[in-house]
Amino acid sequence: MKQRHAVMHRSSNVTMCIPACLMDGGAMGALMRAHDWDASPLGDPATWPPSLTTLTGVMLGSRQPTFVIWGPERRLLYNDSFAGLLGAAHPSALGRDYLQVWHDLGAELGSFVDEACSGRSVDTAAFEHVVRSPDGGRFSLSYVPIRDPAGRVDGLWGTCTEIADQRFVEGERQEADATLRENEERQSFLLDLSDALRPLNTPTDIVEVAARRLGERVGASRVFYAEIAGSLMTVEREYVHGVGSIIGEHSLAAFGPDLLAAYRDGVVVAVDDVPSDPRFTVEARAGLRSRQVGAFVDVVLFRGDEWVGLLAVQSATPRAWTPAEGNLIREVGERVKAATERARAEVALRESEERLAAIFSAASVGLSEVDASGRYLRVNTEMCRILGRSADEVLSIGVADVTDPAYIPQSLATIAQAFETGHSSALDKLYRRPDGTSIWASSSVRRLDDGQGRFKDLLVVTADLSHRREAEQRLAESERRLQLLNETLELQVSERTAERNLLATIVERTDIMVMASDLNYNILAINKANADEFERIYGVRPKVGDNMLDLLADQPEHQAQVKAGWGRGLAGEEITLVQEFGDPGRVRPAYEISFRTLRGADGERTGCYQFVMDVTKRLRDQAELVLAQEALRQSQKLEAVGQLTGGVAHDFNNLLTIIRSSVDFLRRPDLPEVRKRRYLDAVSETVDRAAKLTGQLLAFARRQALKPEVFSAGQRVSAIADMLDTLTGARVQVLIEVPDTACHVRADVSQFETALVNMAVNARDAMDGEGTLILRVTGGAALPAVRGHAGCEKPFVAVSLTDTGTGILPDRIERIFEPFFTTKEVGRGTGLGLSQVFGFAKQSGGDVDVRSVVGRGTTFTLYLPEVAASDLSSGERIQEMGLAPLGSGQRILVVEDNIGVGQFATQILEDLGYRTAWAGNAEEALDRLGRDGDGFDLIFSDVVMPGMGGVALARELQQRWPDLPVVLTSGYSHVLAQESDHGFALLHKPYSAEQLGRILHQVLGVRSKLTAPAA
C-alpha cells in the first residue's frame, strides 16, 4: 500500500505540512513508523485509542519539545525537538519507561509524575532541569493528565519550556500557555465529539452531529460530509449558517483537474481565497460562487487506496485557515469516517442477524439450539410442530423430556459426542408428543463455537420422517398387493373382460349418442343411437373406419358445421354446446353435445369422443316457460298499475270532493266570513295535498324535477327527529347518531326528508309498531358495490336506518325496490315507498343499499355524494311566509300554450301590479321580443310546449340578452328531470299567486342589483 502524506494547500504559492498520527512528523515520525510496537505494551498503533492518536499527531507537529507518557508502564513517545534534549538516550528512549529514561532525575521527577497521574496538572517551573543540549539550555516541565470517557487517567501530556533570559521568559511562557490551552481545548473537543458520536447508530445522524459541532467550533458557513462513489459526490446531511443548502449529488469533475490532483496526492486541501486561486477553472469558480463558497478546507478520506469520503468546511468569505484548524478538521474527518463505517457495520450486522433469525424461524426443517446438557435454548416453528408443543413449553424442558424412553440414552450420547469432538452426529428416533402420539424424525447435532473458539451451544437439525415412514409402509403394502394380484391375475382379467362387455352393451343400447374420432376425423367407435341419428339427419349411415368429412363431401354446409364442432374437440377443448343440425327440409333437431379428449398411454392427444343428447323438446318447453313467465309478470304489473290507478283515483276524488263542496259553499252570497275563510283554507290545503301526491308519483318514476341545494345531512336528520318520533309511535324508540363535523350533500331537501320518512314507516311496520330505530349519519364513506353495480372510492355521506324488526327473506330482498312490490296486506301500502327512495338516490347521483337478517332486523343505507358547504346565505333564499310583494309596473312576457293557464297567469300578474303580454309558444315569444327585447323585464315560460320547449327558449334568450331574467314553470318535464341543474329559476305547478309573486320579486330584485350603476 502506498504511503500518503498529509498536505494542506493554503493558497496557490504556499504549502504547509500538516502532520498525521504516524504519517509524517519528521525523523521521529519515521522512527515511530519503523518501531516494533508488537513487543510494546502499547501494541499496534492501529489499535491505539482516539485520544492517544490525536495527541501523537499534535506532538509530532509541534516545534516545542513535547512528549506523551502513556499507560501504567509510563511508556514514552516524543517529537524531534524533545529528541535533541535526550542526548545519548535517543533513540532507545522511544517506548521505554519515562522514569528509567531519566534515571538520574528519577527521584525528583517521580513525585511530579505521580501527582499528575492522580489527576492534577503539574508545572515544574520551580524545578530547573538541566539537560545536555548543545547550547547548555535549561528547561522546566509540565504534565497534563489525559482522561478516558469514564474520567480515568490514561496518560500524561508533557511539554518542555526553555528557561531563557528574563526578557523572553514572559513571552515564551504566554506562547506556551496559549499552545497548551489550544491543545487542551482541541483534545477536549475531540473527546466530546467521540462521546457524542458513540451512541448514534445511523450514518446520517453521525454526519449531522459532527457537522454541526465542527461548524460551530471553527465558525464555518457550511460543513458537510460527502460519500464518494465513482465520479459522484453525495451529500445527505449538512450544517449551514447564513448560506443555502447543497444536499444532493454533485459531479467531481466540477472541482477541476488541479484540485482533483491535489485530492489524490494528499488528505487535506485548503483554499483561503477562491476568487483569486488560479487552480480553479472559470466554470469551477462560478459554481463555487453560486454555492456561496469563498474559502474551504477539504479533508480527503481513504479506505486503502480508494477515495471514499470528503469532509468539507466552507466559509462564505475568504479567510486564512490555520494549521491547527486544518489538523482539527482532519481529525474530525477520520472520526466521522470511522463512526459511519462502524454504524454501517452495526446496521449490516443487525440486518444479517434479522435475516438469519427469519431463516431460522421459517425453515422447513426443525431447528433448535440446546446446551451441553440437552436443554432447549431456541426453537423454530417447524420444531414446535414436530414436538406438538408451543415454543414456551419447549424452552422449559430438554431433549430427554420429548424423546421416547427407548431412545434417550442414544440421544444423550449423540449430544455428548458432538460437544466433545466438534463433529456432527445424527440419529433417527421417536419423539413423544403431549397427546401421547409419536413421530419419527432424523436429528443431526453440531457444535457451535463463538469467535474465540469457545463453546456456545449445539445446533440440532430435525427432519420429519413420518411421511417417509408412511411411504415405506405404502410401498410394502403395494408390493404385497402386487404379489396378491399376480396370484389372482387370471380371475381379475376375466372379471374385467365381463365388466367391459357390460359397459359396451350399455353404451350400445343407450339413447345417448356416443362417437369417438381420431385427429383426422376417422370414426374409432360409434353406438347405434348415434349411427341412427346421423343417418336420419344426413341421409347416410356411418360405421367404424369411415371419415366423417368424406361422408358429407356432397353436403358442404353440413360438412363445415360438423368440422367446426369436432374441430374444437379435436384441438383439445373440452366443451359442451347446444346447436341445431340437419337439413331444414328434412329434419333439424337441436342437440346438447359434450366433447372430451382421448389420450394415449403416453398422455398425448389421439382424438376425442362426444356424448350427444336430443334437447329439441327441452328447449321448446323452456321457451314456452319463458313466454308464460313474461306474460305472468306483465299481468302482475297490470294488476299493480290497476291497484295504483284505483288508489290514486280514490285519493284525487276525495280531494276533488273537498274542492267542489268548498266552491259550492263559497258561491253562496250570505256565507259568513269565518266559514268563507275556512272553505278557502280547505281549498288551498287540498291543492297542496294534490301537488304533493303528483310529486310523489313523479319521484316514483324518477321524473321529478328536483330542486337540489347544499345542506347538512346531519342537521336535517336531527331536524325531523321529532316528526319521525311521532310518526313511528310511542312504542318505537328513535335514536339519532350524527357526527360532530357537518356532512354536506347536494340534493332536494324535500325529497331527502320524504325518503327518510318512507324508510322510517317501512321500519315501523317491520317492527309491528314496537322496537328501536337508529338513524346514523356517517361522512367520508366509500360507496360499496350494490346489486352488481361497481362501487366508488369518492366520499359519500351514508344515512342508515337500522330497525329491530322481522327482517326480509333472502328471496324477497332483491325485489323490494321494484315499483308496486309490497309484502304488506291490502290497504297498508302500495309498494311505492322504497321505490321513491331508490329513484331519489339514483337521481341524486347516489344509491341505496339494504342488509337484513331474518328475525334480527334490517338496515337501509342511503348514499349521497359528499360536497363542500354551500356559500348560499339564508338571506338569499325565497321567503315562504306572508303575502307576496306587489310589482311596480314591470313588463312580464307570459309564454304558455294552455289557454286557460295563460289567461289565469296574466290575470294574476296584473293583480300583483305587473304589466303583461301573452305568447302561445316559444316561437311567438321570440318574434314578440324582436331584436331588442321589446322592453320586457322578465320572461315567465312554461317548460312543456309544442315545438321549442321552455328550457331551450330560456337558453336562447340567455344568449341573446344575458341580463334578461327567465322564470320557468312546469308540473312535469323529462327535460327538467334529466337536467335539474339547468341554472334557471323554477316554479312548480300548481302554484299560488303568493308563490308566483315571491319568485318574480326575488328574480327582479337580483337583476336590479346586477344592473344598478356603481356609486
Side-chain angles (χ1 to χ4, degrees), residues 644 648 696-697 700 758 818-822 829-837:
L644 175 66
V648 172
Q696 288 178 332
L697 292 173
F700 299 150
N758 285 334
E818 292 181 8
F820 319 126
F821 178 78
T822 180
T830 62
L832 293 171
L834 294 180
S835 179
Q836 181 272 339
V837 177

Side-chain angles (χ1 to χ4, degrees), residues 179-246:
T179 302
L180 179 62
R181 284 194 302 272
E182 181 180 336
N183 289 334
E184 291 178 345
E185 291 175 358
R186 181 166 171 270
Q187 179 192 10
S188 177
F189 171 78
L190 292 173
L191 292 175
D192 289 344
L193 179 62
S194 297
D195 292 341
L197 299 184
R198 189 173 298 108
L200 303 180
N201 52 20
T202 64
T204 53
D205 291 342
I206 290 170
V207 171
E208 184 174 1
V209 171
R212 174 174 53 80
R213 291 202 172 196
L214 181 57
E216 293 173 349
R217 169 78 178 180
V218 301
S221 300
R222 180 187 294 114
V223 179
F224 63 84
Y225 176 82
E227 293 190 343
I228 308 299
S231 61
L232 289 178
M233 176 180 74
T234 303
V235 180
E236 293 186 353
R237 289 288 191 275
E238 64 182 352
Y239 163 80
V240 291
H241 180 71
V243 295
S245 173
I246 62 168

Side-chain angles (χ1 to χ4, degrees), residues 612-626:
V612 183
M613 290 186 293
D614 188 338
V615 294
T616 306
K617 184 176 183 304
R618 188 183 75 186
L619 294 180
R620 183 168 57 249
D621 293 343
Q622 289 177 350
E624 292 175 355
L625 177 61
V626 170

Side-chain angles (χ1 to χ4, degrees), residues 551-600:
L551 293 176
L552 300 176
D554 59 343
Q555 305 177 45
E557 178 183 355
H558 298 153
Q559 184 190 59
Q561 190 178 29
V562 169
K563 187 175 181 179
W566 276 92
R568 295 178 65 182
L570 294 174
E573 290 189 60
E574 296 197 348
I575 56 174
T576 299
L577 51 87
V578 176
Q579 195 171 358
E580 291 184 348
F581 287 88
D583 187 349
R586 182 192 301 268
V587 61
R588 193 170 176 83
Y591 300 100
E592 180 181 274
I593 308 172
S594 297
F595 287 97
R596 297 295 181 266
T597 303
L598 279 175
R599 298 186 183 275

Side-chain angles (χ1 to χ4, degrees), residues 284-551:
R285 188 177 291 109
L288 289 171
R289 184 172 59 251
S290 68
R291 294 192 288 272
Q292 299 171 278
V293 181
F296 64 84
V297 176
D298 286 348
V299 176
V300 184
L301 302 171
F302 295 91
R303 185 185 299 115
D305 290 336
E306 181 185 5
W307 183 7
V308 296
L310 176 72
L311 178 64
V313 179
Q314 299 176 346
S315 173
T317 59
R319 64 179 282 181
W321 302 99
T322 67
E325 290 174 332
N327 196 27
L328 176 65
I329 294 170
R330 180 189 57 76
E331 289 288 347
V332 172
E334 291 292 345
R335 277 167 170 73
V336 171
K337 185 189 76 169
T340 54
E341 290 180 347
R342 182 260 305 166
R344 287 194 178 89
E346 290 177 352
V347 171
L349 176 61
R350 186 164 56 253
E351 292 176 349
S352 175
E353 290 175 346
E354 291 174 354
R355 286 194 296 271
L356 290 176
I359 294 173
F360 184 92
S361 176
S364 59
V365 295
L367 297 178
S368 60
E369 294 179 12
V370 301
D371 60 17
S373 66
R375 188 172 186 83
Y376 285 105
L377 304 176
R378 184 183 180 195
V379 291
N380 72 343
T381 304
E382 176 62 12
M383 191 65 196
C384 293
R385 185 197 66 80
I386 292 174
L387 299 180
R389 303 170 187 265
S390 67
D392 291 338
E393 291 175 327
V394 176
L395 295 179
S396 64
I397 56 180
V399 172
D401 300 314
V402 296
T403 303
D404 186 276
Y407 292 90
I408 290 178
Q410 189 178 357
S411 296
L412 297 179
T414 301
I415 292 175
Q417 181 182 358
F419 172 74
E420 294 170 358
T421 66
H423 300 301
S424 296
S425 301
L427 79 158
D428 294 350
K429 66 175 184 177
L430 272 176
Y431 283 99
R432 288 290 184 185
R433 290 173 166 172
D435 59 2
T437 61
S438 300
I439 182 171
W440 275 99
S442 175
S443 294
S444 174
V445 185
R446 179 180 179 183
R447 172 172 169 154
L448 298 179
D449 294 339
D450 60 16
Q452 286 71 40
R454 293 171 301 195
F455 172 73
K456 179 175 176 284
D457 54 38
L458 296 167
L459 175 65
V460 182
V461 180
T462 304
D464 184 355
L465 298 181
S466 56
H467 297 299
R468 191 182 77 181
R469 292 278 179 163
E470 291 174 2
E472 292 173 351
Q473 293 174 357
R474 286 196 300 270
L475 178 60
E477 176 65 16
S478 177
E479 292 175 348
R480 187 191 64 79
R481 293 176 62 187
L482 178 60
Q483 182 179 1
L484 179 63
L485 179 63
N486 290 334
E487 295 173 353
T488 60
L489 180 60
E490 182 178 355
L491 177 61
Q492 292 185 23
V493 169
S494 175
E495 292 176 350
R496 186 66 180 272
T497 302
E499 179 182 342
R500 296 188 63 176
N501 290 338
L502 176 61
L503 180 61
T505 301
I506 294 173
V507 171
E508 180 65 20
R509 295 181 179 180
T510 182
D511 293 336
I512 297 176
M513 292 161 270
V514 182
M515 182 165 62
S517 168
D518 65 13
L519 297 176
N520 296 316
Y521 297 90
N522 296 314
I523 299 175
L524 301 176
I526 184 170
N527 69 347
K528 182 177 182 303
N530 198 314
D532 292 345
E533 192 70 3
F534 195 101
E535 182 180 17
R536 185 172 74 92
I537 61 177
Y538 296 127
V540 56
R541 188 171 187 83
K543 64 182 182 299
V544 173
D546 288 343
N547 185 281
M548 284 184 283
L549 301 184
D550 293 343
L551 293 176

